[in-house]
Amino acid sequence: MKVPFSANNQNNQTVSSKPVNRTINTTPTSSPYEPKSVLELRGSPSPVTDQKPAPVLEDPIKLEDHVLSHQFDDWDSFMTDWGLHDDSNPVSKPISQLSIKSELQTLTQYSSLQEFPPVSSFDSTQFVPSDFSLFSDISTYNSNIVNTFDVSNDIQSLNNNWNLGFDYVDDLIRLAECFDTNSLQLGHVILARLNQPLRSPIGKPPQRAAFYFKEALQSLFTGLTQPTHTASSSDIIQTIKAQTTFSSISPIPKFSSLAANQAVLEAVDGCTNVHVIDFDIGLGGQWASFMKELANKADSRKATPPPVLRVTALVPEQYATESRLITEILTQFARELNIRFNIEFVSIRSFGYLSFKAIKFMDGEKIAVVLSPAIFQQIGTVFLNDLRHVPPHVVVHVNSEESMGFGTSSYRQTVIGGLEYYSILLESLEAANVNSGGDWMRKIETFVLFPKILKAVEAAGHHGPPWREALVAAGLRQVGPSQFSYLQAECLLRRMQVRGFHVANHQEEMLLYWNDRPLVATSSWKY
């Protein structure tokens, strides 16, 4: 039951303090697991204020093993525990809806799904060496394209900048413009021409990125941009594998989780009753790391009773199977750490109608909100005006499509920005694991990146203010990242040892760059 939300309530108190039905209060188990935490390290500028600071460690490199040795292994270990890595004989039965345990047992029976190949099977002919100067002038190009459709000179300039002889670039941009101008008949003609050079996702990163945007634009003609049914168990397993592989070879997912978790920890410091409202939970693995930090903080302060973590996740209506899997995995992890844990899932459609009235709040909890561009693409920014009635102790925005310019109403801008962003992202993945085979890349592209491209293209025609302007209009002010967060991010990059990545602070944002292009930006906002 959802507790009605009072518009007159101006603090974090709720109209009801009734315990959540699914909150778990467990006693410590006999698990030999001993979590390691960044909060054990008081040698850097930690946000904790009620403890005496420890001496600063002379060499920040020494932090690496302590900070990151186990911080991101939780999801992989759960995959192993539940047997989701096992590829035995395939079955044709759908996932059982009776219980999560029967569902997990069914998932483990899909054996035809091949594992990602070992890193020793690299085919050096598959990928052409990346060209880092493909998009040197696109930023200038982007600034001149608003509300104009005379593009012949600009498209020629873009083709020259790519310097690859790809004659499909102008056609792809013209196809996007057909949706801006509602010239769908012309769009069909252009699409037929594009299907010749872009038959499959092969070639250099720009060509593969162009293929996926062509597919996304083509889906607009058929209305099949978003799934209308629950994902099959095969797709779920492949998505888990692809996301796990993506996280293991690229610092992008880990940087996003690390920055968001630390911002929330600093905002709720000293409180053992935390409520996180997550607008982009994915597979939920980031909250396993957060629980480890929360448990370590409680242990260091000898807090009783055990800490409480409530997560409210905003998800699509077709997310039922993933939701049960996330619940089971995080609940088990909370038991091992002696954390009272509850997670509830609210459909994005319901939230679009009810705003924060769709979410249950309780007395005494500190609230954090985690946002991403995806929610603004789906329901706009109007709900931000209701944040004052919560109010959260921090709003964290994780922008993993930093250079795509979401918030515009132009399909053309979305395609141009998307071609640049995803070409650079694909190049960074190739640089991250040059000794690996190609199957892992295709799976990441298919099950992780392409769904994001579909959402971006579908949202391109929506009107609304940019997210930053909307946050400011809602009364929020941006606060910069702590020195400790920056140190953690640098330790992460040193640990992963992927060439070309670096961290920088810019206008109170912490950004992850690959060469000179930003790929992720995280920012914190408060009232």
PDB file of all heavy atoms in Angstrom, residues 35-53:
ATOM      1  N   PRO A  35      33.824  -7.529   4.816  1.00  0.00           N
ATOM      2  CA  PRO A  35      33.875  -6.479   3.797  1.00  0.00           C
ATOM      3  C   PRO A  35      34.997  -5.493   4.063  1.00  0.00           C
ATOM      4  O   PRO A  35      35.336  -5.212   5.206  1.00  0.00           O
ATOM      5  CB  PRO A  35      32.499  -5.813   3.917  1.00  0.00           C
ATOM      6  CG  PRO A  35      32.061  -6.099   5.297  1.00  0.00           C
ATOM      7  CD  PRO A  35      32.617  -7.445   5.640  1.00  0.00           C
ATOM      8  N   LYS A  36      35.563  -4.982   2.975  1.00  0.00           N
ATOM      9  CA  LYS A  36      36.543  -3.913   3.048  1.00  0.00           C
ATOM     10  C   LYS A  36      35.870  -2.640   2.570  1.00  0.00           C
ATOM     11  O   LYS A  36      35.106  -2.663   1.639  1.00  0.00           O
ATOM     12  CB  LYS A  36      37.756  -4.240   2.173  1.00  0.00           C
ATOM     13  CG  LYS A  36      38.490  -5.494   2.636  1.00  0.00           C
ATOM     14  CD  LYS A  36      39.679  -5.790   1.756  1.00  0.00           C
ATOM     15  CE  LYS A  36      40.397  -7.040   2.227  1.00  0.00           C
ATOM     16  NZ  LYS A  36      41.561  -7.360   1.386  1.00  0.00           N
ATOM     17  N   SER A  37      36.209  -1.515   3.170  1.00  0.00           N
ATOM     18  CA  SER A  37      35.437  -0.315   2.919  1.00  0.00           C
ATOM     19  C   SER A  37      36.329   0.891   2.794  1.00  0.00           C
ATOM     20  O   SER A  37      37.364   0.998   3.459  1.00  0.00           O
ATOM     21  CB  SER A  37      34.439  -0.087   4.054  1.00  0.00           C
ATOM     22  OG  SER A  37      33.886   1.190   3.970  1.00  0.00           O
ATOM     23  N   VAL A  38      35.895   1.818   1.978  1.00  0.00           N
ATOM     24  CA  VAL A  38      36.591   3.088   1.920  1.00  0.00           C
ATOM     25  C   VAL A  38      36.452   3.835   3.230  1.00  0.00           C
ATOM     26  O   VAL A  38      37.250   4.710   3.548  1.00  0.00           O
ATOM     27  CB  VAL A  38      36.040   3.961   0.770  1.00  0.00           C
ATOM     28  CG1 VAL A  38      36.301   3.306  -0.547  1.00  0.00           C
ATOM     29  CG2 VAL A  38      34.569   4.230   0.951  1.00  0.00           C
ATOM     30  N   LEU A  39      35.429   3.524   4.012  1.00  0.00           N
ATOM     31  CA  LEU A  39      35.229   4.227   5.275  1.00  0.00           C
ATOM     32  C   LEU A  39      36.190   3.758   6.351  1.00  0.00           C
ATOM     33  O   LEU A  39      36.266   4.347   7.420  1.00  0.00           O
ATOM     34  CB  LEU A  39      33.780   4.062   5.740  1.00  0.00           C
ATOM     35  CG  LEU A  39      32.774   4.667   4.792  1.00  0.00           C
ATOM     36  CD1 LEU A  39      31.365   4.396   5.275  1.00  0.00           C
ATOM     37  CD2 LEU A  39      32.994   6.152   4.655  1.00  0.00           C
ATOM     38  N   GLU A  40      36.904   2.643   6.098  1.00  0.00           N
ATOM     39  CA  GLU A  40      37.942   2.243   7.021  1.00  0.00           C
ATOM     40  C   GLU A  40      39.171   3.128   6.868  1.00  0.00           C
ATOM     41  O   GLU A  40      40.043   3.152   7.727  1.00  0.00           O
ATOM     42  CB  GLU A  40      38.343   0.783   6.754  1.00  0.00           C
ATOM     43  CG  GLU A  40      37.217  -0.206   7.006  1.00  0.00           C
ATOM     44  CD  GLU A  40      37.597  -1.594   6.532  1.00  0.00           C
ATOM     45  OE1 GLU A  40      38.719  -1.750   6.020  1.00  0.00           O
ATOM     46  OE2 GLU A  40      36.787  -2.513   6.689  1.00  0.00           O
ATOM     47  N   LEU A  41      39.250   3.821   5.759  1.00  0.00           N
ATOM     48  CA  LEU A  41      40.445   4.595   5.451  1.00  0.00           C
ATOM     49  C   LEU A  41      40.221   6.034   5.860  1.00  0.00           C
ATOM     50  O   LEU A  41      39.500   6.762   5.207  1.00  0.00           O
ATOM     51  CB  LEU A  41      40.741   4.506   3.956  1.00  0.00           C
ATOM     52  CG  LEU A  41      40.913   3.075   3.450  1.00  0.00           C
ATOM     53  CD1 LEU A  41      40.982   3.091   1.948  1.00  0.00           C
ATOM     54  CD2 LEU A  41      42.155   2.462   4.040  1.00  0.00           C
ATOM     55  N   ARG A  42      40.798   6.458   6.933  1.00  0.00           N
ATOM     56  CA  ARG A  42      40.646   7.841   7.366  1.00  0.00           C
ATOM     57  C   ARG A  42      41.881   8.648   7.042  1.00  0.00           C
ATOM     58  O   ARG A  42      42.170   9.651   7.660  1.00  0.00           O
ATOM     59  CB  ARG A  42      40.374   7.877   8.884  1.00  0.00           C
ATOM     60  CG  ARG A  42      39.068   7.193   9.238  1.00  0.00           C
ATOM     61  CD  ARG A  42      37.919   7.792   8.443  1.00  0.00           C
ATOM     62  NE  ARG A  42      36.697   7.048   8.675  1.00  0.00           N
ATOM     63  CZ  ARG A  42      35.665   7.102   7.875  1.00  0.00           C
ATOM     64  NH1 ARG A  42      35.707   7.822   6.785  1.00  0.00           N
ATOM     65  NH2 ARG A  42      34.570   6.439   8.157  1.00  0.00           N
ATOM     66  N   GLY A  43      42.663   8.165   6.088  1.00  0.00           N
ATOM     67  CA  GLY A  43      43.876   8.864   5.735  1.00  0.00           C
ATOM     68  C   GLY A  43      43.650   9.928   4.693  1.00  0.00           C
ATOM     69  O   GLY A  43      44.522  10.733   4.442  1.00  0.00           O
ATOM     70  N   SER A  44      42.481   9.949   4.066  1.00  0.00           N
ATOM     71  CA  SER A  44      42.174  10.975   3.093  1.00  0.00           C
ATOM     72  C   SER A  44      41.003  11.787   3.592  1.00  0.00           C
ATOM     73  O   SER A  44      40.392  11.452   4.589  1.00  0.00           O
ATOM     74  CB  SER A  44      41.849  10.318   1.751  1.00  0.00           C
ATOM     75  OG  SER A  44      40.825   9.391   1.916  1.00  0.00           O
ATOM     76  N   PRO A  45      40.667  12.881   2.900  1.00  0.00           N
ATOM     77  CA  PRO A  45      39.642  13.783   3.432  1.00  0.00           C
ATOM     78  C   PRO A  45      38.272  13.162   3.449  1.00  0.00           C
ATOM     79  O   PRO A  45      37.437  13.427   2.600  1.00  0.00           O
ATOM     80  CB  PRO A  45      39.715  14.979   2.465  1.00  0.00           C
ATOM     81  CG  PRO A  45      41.002  14.838   1.743  1.00  0.00           C
ATOM     82  CD  PRO A  45      41.290  13.379   1.700  1.00  0.00           C
ATOM     83  N   SER A  46      37.988  12.331   4.416  1.00  0.00           N
ATOM     84  CA  SER A  46      36.691  11.683   4.536  1.00  0.00           C
ATOM     85  C   SER A  46      35.669  12.663   5.048  1.00  0.00           C
ATOM     86  O   SER A  46      35.977  13.568   5.822  1.00  0.00           O
ATOM     87  CB  SER A  46      36.793  10.493   5.490  1.00  0.00           C
ATOM     88  OG  SER A  46      35.526   9.979   5.746  1.00  0.00           O
ATOM     89  N   PRO A  47      34.403  12.492   4.657  1.00  0.00           N
ATOM     90  CA  PRO A  47      33.363  13.413   5.097  1.00  0.00           C
ATOM     91  C   PRO A  47      32.911  13.188   6.526  1.00  0.00           C
ATOM     92  O   PRO A  47      32.102  13.942   7.026  1.00  0.00           O
ATOM     93  CB  PRO A  47      32.211  13.129   4.118  1.00  0.00           C
ATOM     94  CG  PRO A  47      32.428  11.711   3.720  1.00  0.00           C
ATOM     95  CD  PRO A  47      33.914  11.525   3.695  1.00  0.00           C
ATOM     96  N   VAL A  48      33.361  12.138   7.200  1.00  0.00           N
ATOM     97  CA  VAL A  48      32.893  11.873   8.550  1.00  0.00           C
ATOM     98  C   VAL A  48      33.332  12.990   9.469  1.00  0.00           C
ATOM     99  O   VAL A  48      34.496  13.375   9.508  1.00  0.00           O
ATOM    100  CB  VAL A  48      33.434  10.524   9.050  1.00  0.00           C
ATOM    101  CG1 VAL A  48      33.038  10.298  10.491  1.00  0.00           C
ATOM    102  CG2 VAL A  48      32.924   9.405   8.170  1.00  0.00           C
ATOM    103  N   THR A  49      32.411  13.513  10.245  1.00  0.00           N
ATOM    104  CA  THR A  49      32.693  14.672  11.079  1.00  0.00           C
ATOM    105  C   THR A  49      32.714  14.379  12.555  1.00  0.00           C
ATOM    106  O   THR A  49      33.143  15.212  13.332  1.00  0.00           O
ATOM    107  CB  THR A  49      31.628  15.762  10.825  1.00  0.00           C
ATOM    108  OG1 THR A  49      30.333  15.205  11.108  1.00  0.00           O
ATOM    109  CG2 THR A  49      31.674  16.223   9.368  1.00  0.00           C
ATOM    110  N   ASP A  50      32.235  13.202  12.973  1.00  0.00           N
ATOM    111  CA  ASP A  50      32.152  12.950  14.395  1.00  0.00           C
ATOM    112  C   ASP A  50      33.270  12.048  14.880  1.00  0.00           C
ATOM    113  O   ASP A  50      33.201  11.509  15.958  1.00  0.00           O
ATOM    114  CB  ASP A  50      30.786  12.327  14.749  1.00  0.00           C
ATOM    115  CG  ASP A  50      30.570  11.015  14.036  1.00  0.00           C
ATOM    116  OD1 ASP A  50      31.351  10.721  13.104  1.00  0.00           O
ATOM    117  OD2 ASP A  50      29.624  10.291  14.428  1.00  0.00           O
ATOM    118  N   GLN A  51      34.308  11.862  14.077  1.00  0.00           N
ATOM    119  CA  GLN A  51      35.450  11.096  14.499  1.00  0.00           C
ATOM    120  C   GLN A  51      36.710  11.911  14.279  1.00  0.00           C
ATOM    121  O   GLN A  51      36.778  12.758  13.398  1.00  0.00           O
ATOM    122  CB  GLN A  51      35.552   9.787  13.688  1.00  0.00           C
ATOM    123  CG  GLN A  51      34.424   8.820  13.978  1.00  0.00           C
ATOM    124  CD  GLN A  51      34.617   7.538  13.196  1.00  0.00           C
ATOM    125  OE1 GLN A  51      35.444   7.464  12.303  1.00  0.00           O
ATOM    126  NE2 GLN A  51      33.877   6.520  13.544  1.00  0.00           N
ATOM    127  N   LYS A  52      37.729  11.632  15.060  1.00  0.00           N
ATOM    128  CA  LYS A  52      38.995  12.323  14.900  1.00  0.00           C
ATOM    129  C   LYS A  52      39.679  11.821  13.632  1.00  0.00           C
ATOM    130  O   LYS A  52      39.777  10.631  13.413  1.00  0.00           O
ATOM    131  CB  LYS A  52      39.884  12.074  16.112  1.00  0.00           C
ATOM    132  CG  LYS A  52      39.310  12.667  17.392  1.00  0.00           C
ATOM    133  CD  LYS A  52      40.245  12.422  18.551  1.00  0.00           C
ATOM    134  CE  LYS A  52      39.677  13.009  19.840  1.00  0.00           C
ATOM    135  NZ  LYS A  52      40.572  12.799  20.986  1.00  0.00           N
ATOM    136  N   PRO A  53      40.187  12.756  12.834  1.00  0.00           N
ATOM    137  CA  PRO A  53      40.824  12.315  11.596  1.00  0.00           C
ATOM    138  C   PRO A  53      42.119  11.580  11.870  1.00  0.00           C
ATOM    139  O   PRO A  53      42.855  11.882  12.792  1.00  0.00           O
ATOM    140  CB  PRO A  53      41.073  13.624  10.834  1.00  0.00           C
ATOM    141  CG  PRO A  53      41.122  14.670  11.904  1.00  0.00           C
ATOM    142  CD  PRO A  53      40.191  14.216  12.980  1.00  0.00           C
TER     143      PRO A  53
END
